[in-house]
Amino acid sequence: MNKLKLYNKAKEFYIFMIMYLNTISKVHTHYKIKLQDNLSLLIENIVHVNINSGSIRKKYIKECLVNISMIDFYTGIMYELKIIEGQKYKKILKSMDDLKSLTYGWLNSEEVKG
């Protein structure tokens, strides 16, 4: 159930971010591309986790954490450059905290199993 919850949260976050990124000007295309790449990789890594088992599964869970950290990094820069306004940034941070908590919970449950 935790796996499905993480996938659904990530999918919801992906849709929100893609819609929001479409409103950002072309001047900031670099950040837009990096965010889209990491959002896509996050979804791909969640799918990889569901397909694999053992240490490979843990590897992909850790890759999810890397993707979340990179999304956090790029959105933080965009906030500092005033590309993202405060309310949107708070919503993004809350979503990323939820994703990070679910992912760490998943990693911890895998380590208990292994």
Side-chain angles (χ1 to χ4, degrees), residues 33-51:
I33 291 169
K34 289 294 190 181
L35 275 170
Q36 286 173 337
D37 289 346
N38 277 288
L39 288 164
S40 296
L41 285 172
L42 176 61
I43 299 292
E44 286 179 33
N45 285 325
I46 292 170
V47 172
H48 282 293
V49 172
N50 284 319
I51 293 171

Side-chain angles (χ1 to χ4, degrees), residues 25-39:
S25 69
K26 290 185 179 186
V27 174
H28 306 292
T29 303
H30 171 73
Y31 300 116
K32 217 167 142 174
I33 291 169
K34 289 294 190 181
L35 275 170
Q36 286 173 337
D37 289 346
N38 277 288
L39 288 164

Side-chain angles (χ1 to χ4, degrees), residues 14-76:
Y14 177 87
I15 292 168
F16 168 77
M17 286 299 292
I18 293 300
M19 289 176 64
Y20 182 70
L21 290 174
N22 287 334
T23 65
I24 294 175
S25 69
K26 290 185 179 186
V27 174
H28 306 292
T29 303
H30 171 73
Y31 300 116
K32 217 167 142 174
I33 291 169
K34 289 294 190 181
L35 275 170
Q36 286 173 337
D37 289 346
N38 277 288
L39 288 164
S40 296
L41 285 172
L42 176 61
I43 299 292
E44 286 179 33
N45 285 325
I46 292 170
V47 172
H48 282 293
V49 172
N50 284 319
I51 293 171
N52 292 294
S53 61
S55 61
I56 295 173
R57 187 179 183 102
K58 288 181 195 173
K59 172 194 177 265
Y60 284 116
I61 295 173
K62 290 177 182 178
E63 286 293 322
C64 289
L65 291 169
V66 169
N67 297 134
I68 294 167
S69 295
M70 292 309 299
I71 293 166
D72 186 27
F73 174 76
Y74 286 115
T75 54

Side-chain angles (χ1 to χ4, degrees), residues 17 20-21 24 35 71 74-90 92:
M17 286 299 292
Y20 182 70
L21 290 174
I24 294 175
L35 275 170
I71 293 166
Y74 286 115
T75 54
I77 288 176
M78 292 173 77
Y79 175 71
E80 289 177 18
L81 295 174
K82 301 194 185 324
I83 300 167
I84 298 176
E85 65 255 6
Q87 288 299 95
K88 292 280 187 195
Y89 186 61
K90 286 179 185 176
I92 291 168

